[in-house]
Structures are given as structure tokens and as C-alpha cells.
Amino acid sequence: MMEKMIFGRFIPGDSFVHQLDPRSKLIFTFIFVVIVFLANNVATYGLLLIFTLFVILISRIRLYFLINGLKPVIILVIFTFLIHILFTREGDVLLNLGFLEVYEGGLRQGIFISIRFVVLVFVTTILTLTTSPISITDGLEVLLNPLKKFKLPIHELALMMSIALRFIPTLMDETDKIMKAQMARGSDLGAGPIKDRIKAVVPLLVPLFVSAFKRAEDLATAMEVRGYRGGEGRTRYRQLKWDAKDTTCIFALVLMTALLVFFRS
Amino acid sequence: MTSTKTYGLVLTAFGAAIIAVLAQITIPLPLVPITGQTLAIGLIVTILGLKYGTLSVLVYCLLGAIGLPVFTGMSGGLSILVGPTGGYIIGFIPTALFMGWYLNKFGYTYIHGLIANVSGMMITLAFGTIWLKFVADMSLYAAFMAGAAPFILLEMMKGVIAAWVGILVRHRLLNANLLKLV
């Protein structure tokens, strides 16, 4: 569980996709999420599926992990499919059971929307499976850098993400300790009337916040004595490198967009 | 003496980390156990207030987006954000903004905490529903039946709990002079 919190869902590897710069992967994913909505007929949805399969293949991610990523949304995907089957009334009637009529348009729309979800989930899952949280944070900071002109605190956001990344496991540990300490003093989260159970959370939260405030103060002091004074002129320890692979990846995406625009009806 | 800016940055990061931890805690109740992130969001904004509350929520959502399993049930990743349930997560940010603004304006009392939290839950559900409508190409009614109706009662209850516990914890911290927000 601790490992999962530090590395997210990242699975180390050395496939083509793993070697890409986080910036090109981020650009790719964000544009892909948009162009998925261009698809509107059999040819374009087919293209999307083939393209996604190709990306899965070159990322050399085991299918098991991708299916896992689908889990949290699968119920809604099935539900949406059923809604379209039941309520979209276009085209010929395919099936008539008296109380239930399935239309051709409903079935087609249901399948299209399901493909849309599956493709979206797969491609975005591949991003987080092949890139560690810390390099995504670095990539995001560099990509969003131009927004600094509009006074958006990009460096600060990335820094806060890195700090949170580092301290989530620590705070989890701490919560566990506080829980055990309160249990040793006789508090019981799982018993008594509802009012008492909810109230039992208070002696858990107060020490958690107090310790967070204290740690925050210590860390802020530690940062400042080491000379932290904001993002201006700061150099970075982890350098990003853009090479031919990344250009190829963006080129493939442009080609895909052109094909989608050409074939859509 | 540390500057307030660095402390504020670090505090927000810790706020986001606390949400991530609390989102995984479950209070066992008969029938439906109370779980998750909506409760944690309500709590953090009620305790930390407008500025640090909202920023913590924003950082929390970003952490989820880059693949940390910080959302309910140890899930995470951009796929959650662009998927059919993404609207709830995106809705957390306006929810936090509204709640913080309301509490700052009317004061951190039980009754206002209750109003802020319950309406906050409604904002989250509204965003979830509208998002579902567009992403899944549904009618607004179907999206409401799928994305909001089954949860309204439970979310209201969570709102009540978040308000009660949140205000209680905030008062305790204030009384002990431990709430260091600047």
C-alpha cells in the first residue's frame, strides 16, 4: 500500500513509450482525449481502436493492468450502453420483445460510446502506467510554464504536488499510529451508537492536523535556511530531454487527427 | 523566522496529503459505511478555510490526475478525470471555493457549516451529473437518475457529518491555539 502511494500506478520498464519524455506523453494524452470526440462513424471509431491497440502494443504493458484501470468506470460504461439501447430510437427495429424494442441506432450509439470510454481509459492509463508521478509533475511544470505570464503559480503548484507526494505515506503512517494510540486509550470506532462513532473521529483528526501544522512549519524553515526563495532562477536536479522519439510520437498524433477529420461524417 | 509564503505552500501540500489519507478512511455504520473523499473535501475546507482549503483540494485533484491512487477506493489516474465520473472530481474545486467563501463570509458556526457542506455536496453532484450528460451523450434526466439520484441522501448525510466534525475540530484547534493558518 505504501509503495502504491509513492509510485502511483507506475510500472518501470524500457519500452518505446517508457523512454518518451513526460512532456511529449502529456501533450499526446491531452490532445488524444480531445480528438476522441471527433469520431462519429464506424471508420473513425475503428481507427481509434486500432491506434489504441498499437499504443498498447508498443508500451508493452500487460493487459491485466489496463483492465484494472477500467474497473472504476465499468459499471457506468455498461449503464450508458444500456441507456442507449433502451432509449435511443433511431433506424430499424432490430429486436422486438413486446415490452422492449431495440433500435439499430441505439445499438450503434451504445457501442460507439462504450468504445469511446474504453479508448479514453486505456490511453490515459498508459500515461500513468509508463510515467512516474514525479516525472509527470516535472513535465507539467515545464509545459505550463508559459502560463506564469498570467500570474498563475505554476512553480508553486508543482512544488506543492511534490511535497504532498513525499508526505502522503508519512501522514498515512501517522494516522495509523494515532488510531492505535486512541484505541489503546479505549476509543472504539466500530461500536456504540452512530453519534458516538462519528464523534470518535474528532480525537483522530485533532492530532493529525496538529502534527501536519508542526511538520509544515519545520519543513518551511528547513527549506528557507537552505535558500529556497521561490521558483525564480531555480535550476533543476532532474533534467528533461526531448529527442527524435518524442517528435515521432507527436507526428503520429497529428497524422491520426488528420485521418479522423478526413473520415468522419 | 520563515516567511508566510513558504509556510503557506507547505501547509497546502499537507492539506492535500491529509485529504488523500482521509479519503481512504471508512466509518463503519450499519447498511452503508461512510467512506471517502466527499467527506474529506468538506472536512478540509471547513477546517482550513477558503484559501488553504481550496488550494489543498486543487492539489489533491492534480495528484489524482497524475496517477496517485488518492481517490476513493485507492483509484487514481487521468482516466478517472476524463471518464464518466470525472465531473465529481472537477466539481470538488468549485465546491471548495463556494464552501470556503460562504464560511468566510458568514462565520464558522455549526449552522453555517451545515449549510455550506450540504450545498457543497449538491454542487459536486450537479457537476457530476452535467459531466455525465455530455460525456455519455445522455439526456439530463437519465444522467440525473444515474449520477445523482442514488447518492443524494448519502451525500447529504456526509455533508451533515463533515459540518459537525469539521466545525468541532476547528473550534478545538482554535481553542488550543494550534490552528496556524498563516
Side-chain angles (χ1 to χ4, degrees), chain B residues 39-58:
Chain B
L39 191 62
I41 303 278
L43 271 174
I44 212 86
V45 180
T46 313
I47 295 170
L48 294 185
L50 175 64
K51 186 173 166 198
Y52 296 114
T54 309
L55 283 172
S56 297
V57 171
L58 176 68

Side-chain angles (χ1 to χ4, degrees), chain A residues 94-190:
Chain A
L94 290 179
L95 187 70
N96 194 342
L97 295 175
F99 62 95
L100 171 85
E101 284 175 334
V102 175
Y103 289 81
E104 192 212 335
L107 185 65
R108 185 165 12 97
Q109 204 57 20
I111 293 175
F112 281 174
I113 300 292
S114 306
I115 293 180
R116 182 194 287 176
F117 279 146
V118 170
V119 163
L120 275 175
V121 169
F122 277 179
V123 169
T124 46
T125 304
I126 286 175
L127 170 74
T128 47
L129 286 178
T130 60
T131 326
S132 70
I134 201 77
S135 49
I136 299 185
T137 309
D138 285 347
L140 266 181
E141 183 179 354
V142 177
L143 278 182
L144 297 179
N145 220 14
L147 293 179
K148 271 186 188 156
K149 282 201 191 98
F150 303 104
K151 298 255 176 210
L152 281 174
I154 301 302
H155 159 76
E156 283 78 3
L157 267 181
L159 181 76
M160 287 190 280
M161 284 166 73
S162 316
I163 296 175
L165 221 54
R166 156 70 183 78
F167 277 99
I168 288 173
T170 314
L171 285 189
M172 277 193 135
D173 236 10
E174 192 115 346
T175 313
D176 196 47
K177 259 186 219 156
I178 297 170
M179 264 174 158
K180 286 192 176 125
Q182 301 294 24
M183 260 144 74
R185 293 181 176 88
S187 103
D188 191 352
L189 274 174

Side-chain angles (χ1 to χ4, degrees), chain B residues 65-102:
Chain B
I66 64 167
L68 285 198
V70 292
F71 298 145
T72 289
M74 301 287 286
S75 61
L78 200 59
S79 55
I80 308 276
L81 273 163
V82 296
T85 54
Y88 302 106
I89 311 280
I90 291 164
F92 287 155
I93 296 160
T95 300
L97 259 178
F98 168 79
M99 283 178 57
W101 168 82
Y102 182 91

